[in-house]
Amino acid sequence: MASSSSASLLAPLSSCPRSWKHHVFPTFHGADVRTNFLSHIIKELKSKAIDLFVDDDMERSKLIGPELVEAIRGSRIAIVLLSRNYASSTWCLNELVEIIKCREGFGQTVMPLFYEVDPTDVKKQTGDFGKVFRKTRKGKASEDIQRWKCALTEVAQITGYHSTNWKSEAEMIEDIVTDVSNKLNLSAPSSDFVSLVGMESKMKEMRRLLQLDSNEVRKIGIWGPPGIGKTTIARSLFNRHSQDFQLSVFIDNIKTKYAIPASSDDYSVKLYLQRQLMSQLTNETCISISHLGVVKDRLKDKKVLVVLDDVDHLVQLEAMAKETYWFGPGSRIIITTQDQRVLKASGINHIYKVNLPSNDEALQMFCMYAFDQKYPKDGFKELACEVRRRLVGELPLGLKVMGSNFQGMSEQDWTEALPRLRFHLDRDGEIASILKFSYDSLNDEDKILFLYIACFFSGERFNMVERCLEKCFKDVRQGLRVLYEKSLISADSIWIKMPKLLVRLGRQIVRKESVSEPGKRQFLNDANDIGEVLSDDKAASFEIGIFIAVLERTFERLSNLQFIRILGRGVNPLSMNYVSQKLKVLIWPMFPMSCFPPRFNPEFLVVLHMTNSSREKLWEENKLLKVRGFSGQHQLGIYYTSQPLRLLFVEKLSCESLERLDLSFRNPDIRINFRNCFKLNEEARDLIIHTPTNQYAVFPAEEVPMCFTYRSSGSSLTLKLNQMPLGKSTKFKACIIFASNALTACYKPVKGISPGHLYTFEVEVETEDVTSNELVFEFEYELESYNSRRWKIVIKECGILPLLEPSDKEI
């Protein structure tokens, strides 16, 4: 008998169904509860459309057969009704063993009901319950007895219902049935997020971070700008995986619902937040939290899934999920936030950065909300593309709200709605209210920096923005870091970008500074507003302007104008004679004159960007152009008369006709790009190489110049240490030349990689711990192509030039 019992109970769990056959499986001792307490529970459960496995027609024996095992494994919830004589039945005990096995094997929910019996007596098999068990175990196989004891101990430690805690059985039954219903609702398979564009790929990436098969307790951050879909990703994860945990909770919109009062003390805030967590996690509305150890005490042995959505203060995390040891093995804590600093301060290393969707995905998202399909309806393609591209950008919140706004509209309705939406983020203000919450959380200086980027600098180079605004802020780099960590901009080492809807928010905020008098605003972006200001005789104080058409003397009274972008061909180029001496940035594609007008000579210029212009020289006469940052394109040519051009902060200068240089500076660290300047003479090339502040340079060259002390073919070079003295560290100027066929393996040209050009850069070697008598330099360059394949670029030659320390130079 023992062997057959063991065979039945130890059937492999791999055969357990994942599509549930029953909602609830009840295990009970019939003589104790069938006609009273249990009958009422069954009636209430059925009244709420909850399906139970009923074994009335089964012939009970000492063993549970395959049909019963299948019923247990096919039930989402197992109710264990523990009464005084429950342990008198080996049938009940064997059912319990199978239930505990299913709980541990695939997360079946187990709800113990202690009916007129103490949980401690069940756990330790003592009292009246223990007497019954000891009688049952007589003559049974020791392995069966041990299994029963383990199952009773395990079930007694699961949070359940104790009949002595309720005034009446009716109230207890009502609470039990409500709890069962809620658990079933939470565990019901969801298709809410199945059709969302790009969600499956996000789930795949998130599961790699979650490591759900691991028993470690792991905290995971989901980080990104407001409206990008962090909450949606977290909800999708929760819906898919909450049933695999003993307890689970999704606490949404913490930033708004549980905002931290400025005058509150941390301890009170933490007690309050812990009470919210435990109340929602255990479904106890009147739970009492007297100290901060309650979470750890209640959850340290529970496998839980906790989602803390939209966290914006560290104290929120410290209250609800400070330490991983507060939770049982296998627990997962997911935090969504737009503030990276909260995650870093909490020591969370597993972070999923939510990026904007691609253009194609963004259009599909918009169409799903506007047309209930992933592509525009007939006749709406141009309108849908215009709204998506010009008004919304790629932010999912905007795509959802704007798409829903247009749902069911005719083409004429769309056309009539567009002009108003160009000035307002959305019809009902939903987008603006969500995004502005993030702007309002900034301090005053960071708010101003946000507006600078929204109105002018989104899409510009990081170092250009830093130099342009360094005099306007105490620490512009720190301000940019704050905006990045709060997900209001994206930034790499080169570019700063802001989502289009945040750009529109910033410009809308500036517009509201003075709706009726545009000239009083700090920045102007709209052509109509600029036209109104320029037609007025009053002086205007704005710093930023984007111009489409102006007359010759238009800029004369705009004394504070520092940042200019010219669009179109309606601006008189002679107007540059009257531009403010404060000018820092001039961006004018297709500048129509062959040279600057004579009175244009800015003293504080940082960026001069004139792509596709007609310029052939700077001025008719010789002048020194002081440019702190210079950006240009292939068509820009500079010719010289008697004096060479001095450039005081060259960033990029592609001039096919450039021959001579005078880099007369020593202090600023510079990066020089002379790509395609094939006429550079040898003196100019040597000057570029030997410029001590030159961090990086590019210019045409077919071979490594002789001034490099050590040269080699290929990508490797060995330097004998006995050939030169070494300090604790030694700096070198290094160079590489790409082979002419370096990019033949790629399917399209790669920006920034030019065969037939010399690339120079500095290398510092820590030589203090070097034990060999030689240094080996290995140069390697890889890039990732459009199809995510990595390509190694072929290096034709390389070179090394030791850089002497100042003391060595003096000697």
Side-chain angles (χ1 to χ4, degrees):
M1 180 178 69
S3 61
S4 63
S5 173
S6 299
S8 171
L9 291 171
L10 294 175
L13 284 176
S14 59
S15 60
C16 295
R18 288 300 181 143
S19 56
W20 309 107
K21 190 174 181 181
H22 307 286
H23 291 140
V24 175
F25 179 93
T27 176
F28 56 91
H29 185 266
D32 285 352
V33 296
R34 186 188 292 274
T35 59
N36 44 52
F37 185 72
L38 179 66
S39 65
H40 298 307
I41 288 181
I42 291 175
K43 180 182 177 182
E44 286 298 315
L45 288 172
K46 288 184 175 179
S47 72
K48 293 186 180 295
I50 296 173
D51 170 59
L52 292 88
F53 173 78
V54 181
D55 63 352
D56 290 342
D57 298 330
M58 292 186 65
E59 182 180 347
R60 286 181 174 261
S61 65
K62 294 181 180 180
L63 302 179
I64 61 172
E67 183 182 352
L68 199 60
V69 171
E70 183 182 348
I72 293 172
R73 297 182 178 185
S75 298
R76 182 66 193 92
I77 296 174
I79 291 179
V80 182
L81 212 172
L82 294 152
S83 60
R84 184 174 183 274
N85 293 299
Y86 182 88
S88 67
S89 167
T90 57
W91 174 288
C92 290
L93 292 171
N94 287 335
E95 284 182 340
L96 180 60
V97 170
E98 183 66 27
I99 287 168
I100 295 301
K101 187 147 65 86
C102 289
R103 177 178 184 262
E104 294 172 349
F106 57 87
Q108 184 182 63
T109 300
V110 177
M111 294 177 59
L113 312 182
F114 300 96
Y115 184 71
E116 297 179 354
V117 65
D118 194 300
T120 304
D121 288 340
V122 176
K123 178 181 179 180
K124 298 182 178 180
Q125 297 93 54
T126 56
D128 290 340
F129 188 90
K131 289 178 184 178
V132 172
F133 179 69
R134 286 192 293 275
K135 186 176 180 180
T136 304
R137 60 184 285 182
K138 286 181 180 179
K140 304 301 187 294
S142 60
E143 57 203 52
D144 287 339
I145 294 171
Q146 188 59 35
R147 262 197 303 274
W148 295 336
K149 290 179 69 174
C150 289
L152 289 168
T153 301
E154 181 75 20
V155 77
Q157 296 180 97
I158 300 173
T159 303
Y161 290 82
H162 196 322
S163 59
T164 58
N165 292 339
W166 273 263
K167 294 179 181 179
S168 68
E169 286 189 1
E171 290 182 8
M172 181 181 179
I173 289 169
E174 183 179 350
D175 286 348
I176 290 169
V177 172
T178 299
D179 192 12
V180 170
S181 179
N182 289 337
K183 281 181 165 60
L184 289 172
N185 290 342
L186 283 173
S187 64
S190 169
S191 59
D192 294 349
F193 305 97
V194 172
S195 62
L196 291 184
V197 175
M199 185 55 70
E200 286 308 312
S201 63
K202 289 180 173 61
M203 290 297 99
K204 186 176 180 180
E205 294 177 53
M206 282 300 303
R207 279 191 285 266
R208 280 200 293 267
L209 280 179
L210 285 166
Q211 296 288 315
L212 292 170
D213 294 333
S214 169
N215 273 333
E216 73 166 310
V217 178
R218 181 172 283 210
K219 293 197 286 187
I220 298 97
I222 301 178
W223 171 55
I228 201 168
K230 302 182 296 294
T231 301
T232 304
I233 293 170
R235 283 201 181 279
S236 182
L237 280 169
F238 187 83
N239 285 12
R240 296 179 190 216
H241 298 292
S242 59
Q243 67 271 16
D244 299 325
F245 295 80
Q246 290 173 261
L247 297 171
S248 58
V249 64
F250 192 109
I251 304 182
D252 67 328
N253 203 10
I254 290 174
K255 180 168 65 178
T256 303
K257 286 185 178 180
Y258 310 111
I260 309 298
S263 59
S264 61
D265 68 282
D266 275 7
Y267 194 83
S268 299
V269 169
K270 289 177 180 178
L271 282 178
Y272 171 72
L273 292 170
Q274 279 206 6
R275 190 178 306 119
Q276 302 307 315
L277 171 67
M278 292 304 300
S279 175
Q280 294 187 45
L281 196 59
T282 62
N283 199 32
E284 298 178 56
T285 55
C286 299
I287 194 168
S288 176
I289 301 290
S290 58
H291 60 84
L292 296 178
V294 173
V295 170
K296 179 181 70 172
D297 185 67
R298 292 285 299 275
L299 302 178
K300 63 185 177 183
D301 59 349
K302 305 292 189 299
K303 181 182 178 181
V304 300
L305 173 62
V306 177
V307 177
L308 305 177
D309 172 55
D310 207 9
V311 171
D312 67 336
H313 283 82
L314 180 60
V315 68
Q316 296 159 344
L317 270 182
E318 290 181 334
M320 297 188 278
K322 182 178 182 179
E323 305 290 351
T324 55
Y325 64 76
W326 289 5
F327 309 96
S331 294
R332 295 293 180 270
I333 317 301
I334 299 173
I335 300 100
T336 78
T337 182
Q338 72 173 68
D339 194 340
Q340 187 188 41
R341 292 179 299 176
V342 171
L343 301 176
K344 287 183 176 179
S346 188
I348 297 174
N349 298 317
H350 307 293
I351 300 175
Y352 177 63
K353 184 178 183 297
V354 188
N355 294 313
L356 291 169
S358 66
N359 290 336
D360 288 342
E361 286 179 330
L363 182 60
Q364 289 179 41
M365 289 180 184
F366 177 79
C367 290
M368 283 298 296
Y369 292 107
F371 309 112
D372 202 26
Q373 60 189 36
K374 291 185 178 180
Y375 48 87
K377 287 184 177 179
D378 291 343
F380 284 87
K381 184 174 181 179
E382 288 188 13
L383 285 169
C385 289
E386 180 183 358
V387 172
R388 207 289 304 159
R389 185 176 63 254
R390 296 185 180 276
L391 299 184
V392 186
E394 295 84 28
L395 202 64
L397 169 68
L399 298 167
K400 174 185 176 181
V401 174
M402 200 72 78
S404 300
N405 282 344
F406 282 103
Q407 194 171 42
M409 284 189 181
S410 66
E411 288 184 64
Q412 183 177 348
D413 292 335
W414 278 58
T415 304
E416 292 175 354
L418 286 178
R420 182 179 182 275
L421 289 173
R422 290 191 176 98
F423 290 96
H424 302 278
L425 289 178
D426 59 309
R427 185 177 60 191
D428 302 317
E430 181 182 350
I431 299 173
S433 64
I434 292 174
L435 299 185
K436 196 170 185 298
F437 197 102
S438 302
Y439 169 81
D440 290 337
S441 69
L442 299 171
N443 65 38
D444 290 344
E445 186 166 274
D446 292 337
K447 285 180 180 177
I448 296 172
L449 180 58
F450 173 91
L451 297 178
Y452 267 104
I453 296 185
C455 292
F456 196 83
F457 290 105
S458 179
E460 297 295 348
R461 289 176 176 267
F462 181 91
N463 57 355
M464 179 267 244
V465 175
E466 190 176 14
R467 292 200 299 271
C468 286
L469 301 180
E470 62 186 355
K471 303 297 184 183
C472 305
F473 299 91
K474 293 177 182 176
D475 188 342
V476 66
R477 177 169 291 190
Q478 175 59 24
L480 291 171
R481 185 178 293 114
V482 169
L483 297 185
Y484 171 75
E485 290 174 340
K486 289 185 174 292
S487 305
L488 297 174
I489 61 172
S490 61
D492 52 28
S493 59
I494 301 178
W495 304 102
I496 291 176
K497 295 181 181 178
M498 180 178 283
K500 189 164 290 185
L501 282 178
L502 287 172
V503 168
R504 295 189 63 207
L505 171 71
R507 295 182 179 187
Q508 184 170 295
I509 290 170
V510 170
R511 187 172 185 272
K512 289 180 178 179
E513 290 176 354
S514 177
V515 176
S516 58
E517 294 187 64
K520 292 184 177 181
R521 300 176 201 159
Q522 188 174 7
F523 314 128
L524 285 183
N525 298 92
D526 181 69
N528 293 328
D529 290 336
I530 290 176
E532 181 180 334
V533 171
L534 297 182
S535 64
D536 195 340
D537 291 334
K538 298 178 183 176
S541 59
F542 62 88
E543 296 178 30
I544 283 177
I546 298 180
F547 299 89
I548 294 178
V550 298
L551 301 175
E552 180 177 348
R553 302 182 71 92
T554 295
F555 294 124
E556 189 170 18
R557 55 191 174 80
L558 304 181
S559 60
N560 202 40
L561 194 57
Q562 300 176 47
F563 309 96
I564 301 177
R565 191 189 305 270
I566 306 292
L567 303 176
R569 297 176 179 273
V571 177
N572 188 329
L574 294 177
S575 60
M576 289 295 100
N577 278 324
Y578 304 95
V579 77
S580 167
Q581 289 297 303
K582 297 179 181 178
L583 185 67
K584 293 181 179 178
V585 176
L586 174 59
I587 300 175
W588 194 341
M590 296 180 288
F591 180 71
M593 294 181 68
S594 61
C595 63
F596 289 133
R599 290 174 58 188
F600 175 71
N601 193 19
E603 292 292 324
F604 301 100
L605 199 63
V606 175
V607 171
L608 177 63
H609 191 175
M610 292 186 164
T611 60
N612 303 313
S613 71
S614 302
R615 289 195 310 129
E616 296 178 351
K617 51 190 173 183
L618 296 177
W619 289 277
E620 288 290 351
E621 68 275 19
N622 293 335
K623 280 191 180 183
L624 176 65
L625 176 63
K626 295 180 180 179
V627 185
R628 291 179 175 85
F630 199 99
S631 181
Q633 287 292 334
H634 190 76
Q635 287 84 349
L636 173 60
I638 300 179
Y639 295 89
Y640 303 98
T641 52
S642 58
Q643 296 294 326
L645 173 68
R646 285 183 171 88
L647 298 173
L648 292 188
F649 217 135
V650 182
E651 184 180 296
K652 183 176 182 181
L653 183 61
S654 297
C655 313
E656 292 185 350
S657 57
L658 186 62
E659 297 180 7
R660 293 184 292 139
L661 291 174
D662 178 10
L663 298 178
S664 55
F665 51 85
R666 289 295 178 265
N667 294 325
D669 291 333
I670 61 169
R671 292 181 291 179
I672 309 178
N673 188 335
F674 293 121
R675 188 177 282 107
N676 297 327
C677 297
F678 293 103
K679 294 185 179 181
L680 275 176
N681 59 27
E682 186 174 348
E683 182 183 359
R685 298 180 191 205
D686 285 347
L687 182 60
I688 295 170
I689 294 170
H690 287 93
T691 299
T693 54
N694 171 11
Q695 292 180 343
Y696 166 89
V698 180
F699 58 85
E702 291 298 329
E703 59 184 21
V704 174
M706 294 297 292
C707 63
F708 279 88
T709 312
Y710 306 95
R711 299 176 298 281
S712 175
S713 298
S715 59
S716 177
L717 185 150
T718 300
L719 187 154
K720 299 292 183 181
L721 295 183
N722 56 12
Q723 297 176 1
M724 63 171 292
L726 292 177
K728 292 183 179 180
S729 66
T730 301
K731 290 184 178 181
F732 300 89
K733 180 69 69 69
C735 72
I736 57 175
I737 297 179
F738 295 123
S740 58
N741 62 345
L743 306 178
T744 55
C746 302
Y747 295 114
K748 64 177 183 179
V750 180
K751 186 176 181 180
I753 305 299
S754 297
H757 281 71
L758 184 81
Y759 292 74
T760 73
F761 47 92
E762 282 192 5
V763 176
E764 185 169 1
V765 178
E766 299 293 335
T767 58
E768 195 171 17
D769 299 323
V770 173
T771 57
S772 173
N773 63 351
E774 60 183 29
L775 287 177
V776 179
F777 293 85
E778 292 280 354
F779 299 100
E780 188 175 280
Y781 193 96
E782 287 189 350
L783 59 89
E784 187 171 324
S785 65
Y786 74 98
N787 59 358
S788 298
R789 295 185 63 183
R790 298 196 68 82
W791 302 95
K792 184 175 288 188
I793 307 303
V794 180
I795 294 175
K796 174 186 173 185
E797 294 182 19
C798 60
I800 287 289
L801 170 64
L803 296 178
L804 300 177
E805 297 297 325
S807 58
D808 296 326
K809 293 179 184 178
E810 292 170 4
I811 293 173

